[in-house]
């Protein structure tokens, strides 16, 4: 099973168009030791022929063009992209679906709640249904393993997360909360496993036990500290209030995953305000000393 990180930043990317925080400003001026990043996006393939996307980032068009394996190969209108698995209905995970609309048939895997949020509350997503059979939706049920194709099995785990802000209050009450945010355990035909959790609202003990069993973890590295947005912008929610366990501090992922030693541990979905994006920062040193890596666009794994 091959996994490619097409994008490693949180919503907004790095730099973010309307941000002049220390990281974004220094990156633009060439004064930061670190790489620009597009918004979080993963692609999977068992045979190097057909590919599956995990979520669909707002940067998807550029990410596909930057990845030759994802270019059309068998005709004038063709794509090796078979479909998309969604882990939530967050804007930075679904906006890219609108970029895949050019009359191309796709298989879409999502919980019933995520599918309803997209199709029933957001009429724009009907661009995915302009001819019969354009999108084929498969319902994802938490804890029920499914297979994308031979060699890629997926176990969806419900995380204690919330629905996105754009979902109307009335709709929220009608949806099953367990279907709001998922992590995915991806397993290859040789039984090796990778855990993908770009948004981690809380770390439960079962989640840690499962992580210990994987070869590779790609985990929420959105914020360094719980009050990061307040510090940078002067106001705003805490990391935990918007569904992200921070990296540092009591109960942060460095501390909570300290006993998880077997897998390679990588932070993904890194917000542009996060000091770990600067390779010369003390915070970057700390995560490296704790055994973590910070994902960059273009990284690839085989397991
Ligand atoms: Zn910034």
């Amino acid at each position: 099973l091959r996994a490619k990180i097409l994008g490693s930043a949180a919503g907004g990317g790095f730099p973010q168009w309307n941000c002049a925080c220390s990281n974004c400003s220094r990156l633009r001026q060439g004064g930061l030791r670190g790489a620009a990043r597009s918004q979080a996006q993963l692609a999977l393939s068992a045979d190097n022929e057909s590919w599956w996307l995990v979520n669909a980032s707002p940067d998807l068009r550029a990410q596909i063009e930057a990845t030759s394996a994802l270019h059309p190969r068998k005709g004038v209108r063709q794509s090796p992209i078979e479909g998309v698995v969604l882990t939530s209905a967050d804007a930075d995970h679904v906006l890219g679906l609108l970029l895949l609309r050019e009359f191309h048939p796709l298989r879409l895997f999502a919980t019933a709640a995520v599918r309803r949020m997209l199709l029933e509350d957001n009429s724009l997503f009907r661009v995915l249904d302009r001819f019969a059979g354009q999108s084929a939706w498969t319902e994802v049920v938490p804890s029920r393993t499914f297979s994308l194709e031979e060699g890629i099995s997926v176990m969806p785990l419900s995380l204690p997360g919330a629905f996105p802000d754009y979902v109307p209050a009335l709709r929220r009450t009608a949806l099953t909360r367990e279907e709001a945010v998922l992590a995915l355990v991806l397993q290859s035909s040789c039984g090796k496993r990778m855990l993908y959790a770009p948004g981690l609202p809380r770390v439960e003990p079962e989640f840690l036990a499962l992580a210990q069993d994987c070869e590779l973890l790609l985990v929420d590295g959105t914020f360094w500290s719980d009050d990061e947005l307040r510090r940078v912008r002067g106001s705003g929610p805490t990391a935990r209030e918007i569904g992200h366990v921070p990296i540092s501090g009591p109960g942060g992922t460095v501390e909570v995953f300290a006993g998880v030693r077997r897998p390679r541990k990588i932070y993904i979905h890194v917000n542009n305000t996060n000091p770990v994006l600067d390779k010369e920062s003390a915070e970057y040193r700390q995560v490296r000393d704790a055994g973590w890596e910070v994902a960059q666009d273009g990284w690839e794994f085989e397991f």
Side-chain angles (χ1 to χ4, degrees):
L1 179 50
R2 186 163 296 188
K4 281 179 190 282
I5 295 180
L6 309 186
S8 52
F14 181 45
Q16 176 178 312
W17 71 277
N18 63 344
C19 190
C21 73
S22 163
N23 276 350
C24 289
S25 308
R26 286 185 299 139
L27 184 73
R28 289 190 185 104
Q29 290 153 11
L32 177 131
R33 212 179 129 231
R37 287 165 168 86
S38 62
Q39 294 167 89
Q41 179 66 50
L42 188 68
L44 306 168
S45 179
D47 58 6
N48 233 359
E49 290 274 322
S50 52
W51 287 83
W52 298 88
L53 303 177
V54 181
N55 294 323
S57 98
D59 292 320
L60 192 52
R61 184 191 160 277
Q63 290 167 334
I64 291 170
E65 282 309 312
T67 311
S68 61
L70 301 180
H71 296 168
R73 276 172 307 206
K74 293 176 188 158
V76 179
R77 283 293 170 90
Q78 189 270 339
S79 168
I81 297 171
E82 300 285 334
V84 184
V85 185
L86 298 174
T87 62
S88 80
D90 285 359
D92 57 330
H93 289 160
V94 302
L95 282 176
L97 289 176
L98 300 174
L99 310 174
L100 298 173
R101 72 189 188 281
E102 313 291 350
F103 293 97
H104 188 80
L106 280 178
R107 294 190 59 200
L108 298 162
F109 292 78
T111 60
V114 167
R115 190 190 64 239
R116 289 180 64 191
M117 282 182 266
L118 298 185
L119 298 185
E120 294 174 23
D121 295 333
N122 296 276
S123 58
L124 192 52
F125 282 93
R126 290 182 206 145
V127 297
L128 298 172
D129 258 322
R130 291 170 72 193
F131 64 88
Q134 185 181 358
S135 8
W137 290 82
T138 299
E139 185 177 337
V140 171
V141 178
S143 301
R144 195 180 294 170
T145 300
F146 60 94
S147 150
L148 291 173
E149 62 176 57
E150 203 184 320
I152 315 181
S153 93
V154 183
M155 211 260 279
L157 291 169
S158 173
L159 297 178
F163 293 112
D165 284 346
Y166 67 75
V167 179
L170 196 63
R171 164 68 78 190
R172 260 168 229 256
T173 59
L175 296 172
T176 310
R177 200 183 150 107
E178 288 68 36
E179 296 179 357
V181 182
L182 301 175
L184 304 178
V185 179
L186 306 159
Q187 185 167 316
S188 70
S189 48
C190 59
K192 291 189 173 168
R193 307 209 275 184
M194 165 185 157
L195 180 61
Y196 188 58
L200 193 54
R202 208 159 63 219
V203 185
E204 314 278 6
E206 312 83 70
F207 188 84
L208 278 181
L210 205 107
Q212 181 72 47
D213 245 15
C214 294
E215 309 295 313
L216 177 67
L217 310 180
L218 290 177
V219 165
D220 187 340
T222 312
F223 297 113
W224 169 255
S225 56
D226 203 32
D227 62 352
E228 186 164 319
L229 285 179
R230 266 177 216 174
R231 272 200 246 178
V232 172
R233 302 200 313 223
S235 66
T238 66
R240 285 186 172 86
E241 278 168 2
I242 51 173
H244 300 287
V245 177
I247 294 175
S248 69
T253 46
V254 160
E255 184 185 282
V256 173
F257 283 81
V260 178
R261 292 174 187 278
R262 193 173 88 114
R264 186 173 168 192
K265 298 188 278 191
I266 300 175
Y267 284 121
I268 194 164
H269 198 268
V270 185
N271 200 55
N272 60 81
T273 52
N274 192 327
V276 301
L277 291 170
D278 177 357
K279 287 189 172 173
E280 281 164 349
S281 69
E283 291 86 351
Y284 178 73
R285 183 52 36 220
Q286 267 179 263
V287 299
R288 297 291 289 128
D289 289 347
W292 286 84
E293 297 167 73
V294 182
Q296 288 191 32
D297 296 11
W299 282 13
E300 210 177 308
F301 315 94
E302 258 189 81
F303 61 98

